[in-house]
Amino acid sequence: TGVTIWLVETGHGLVALAVAHAAAGCLEIAAKTWFAFRIVPGLGLSFARPDRLAVRALLGYGGWAVFTSVAMILTWQTDPIVIGLALGPAAVTHFAQPGSLAAQARAILWAACRVLAPAAGALEARGDRTQLSQLLVQACRAMLLLYGPILAYLLALGDPFLDAWLGAGFRGESVAVLA
């Protein structure tokens, strides 16, 4: 965040922001890789041919996870394109700013899902449907406790919040685009 603010304040362009974002992503991957090798002593890289059953198992879960992630990205990234084509580029801002509130709230749910997926997968692999059902019920209750107040706040006070955050004129235009 600090680098982004510095780049914007010093007049660097969009390319510099993209390079900084890519560099931060590479650093994140490098750090996670380093920690993984530190935490799991037997972990190593091999260029041997992978076991077909292991590949099938990984792609069985991973394929759906990737598909879901790509679908979510496409869903939220194509909306601005369609809005821009239909209503003009200025309307995209009126969608993106209020839409970021929903995206931030949704990020809480996705983070929780990423945490619960390995536990649910382990229960499914053991065939423990009772424990899996209990996990899902408890997770839904926890998500409702976490997400419910955020959703209620946005529904009840979303308009005044947009007024305070973006200004009354901006909010009015946003409502027209989001409707």
Side-chain angles (χ1 to χ4, degrees):
T1 304
V3 172
T4 301
I5 292 169
W6 178 79
L7 286 171
V8 170
E9 286 182 350
T10 56
H12 290 81
L14 192 56
V15 173
L17 287 171
V19 169
H21 184 73
C26 290
L27 285 173
E28 178 186 5
I29 290 169
K32 287 179 178 179
T33 302
W34 183 81
F35 279 114
F37 278 98
R38 295 275 309 203
I39 293 170
V40 182
L43 189 62
L45 294 175
S46 173
F47 295 102
R49 189 170 193 199
D51 176 38
R52 283 183 185 251
L53 290 175
V55 169
R56 176 177 256 153
L58 284 172
L59 290 178
Y61 169 75
W64 283 110
V66 168
F67 175 77
T68 302
S69 295
V70 169
M72 291 302 295
I73 290 169
L74 287 176
T75 298
W76 283 95
Q77 296 303 318
T78 54
D79 286 346
I81 294 169
V82 171
I83 289 169
L85 291 172
L87 302 174
V92 174
T93 303
H94 295 285
F95 167 79
Q97 289 299 326
S100 69
L101 291 175
Q104 294 298 321
R106 192 176 57 251
I108 295 169
L109 292 175
W110 280 109
C113 289
R114 284 191 301 273
V115 169
L116 292 172
L123 292 171
E124 174 69 24
R126 286 195 313 241
D128 193 344
R129 296 284 186 168
T130 303
Q131 284 291 97
L132 181 60
S133 294
Q134 289 176 353
L135 173 69
L136 293 176
V137 167
Q138 293 300 324
C140 287
R141 287 179 180 156
M143 291 304 104
L144 185 58
L145 284 173
L146 283 173
Y147 194 66
I150 295 169
L151 183 59
Y153 176 81
L154 289 175
L155 287 172
L157 301 172
D159 283 344
F161 181 79
L162 287 175
D163 277 345
W165 181 33
L166 303 171
F170 192 92
R171 185 192 58 83
E173 291 292 325
S174 296
V175 170
V177 171
L178 293 171

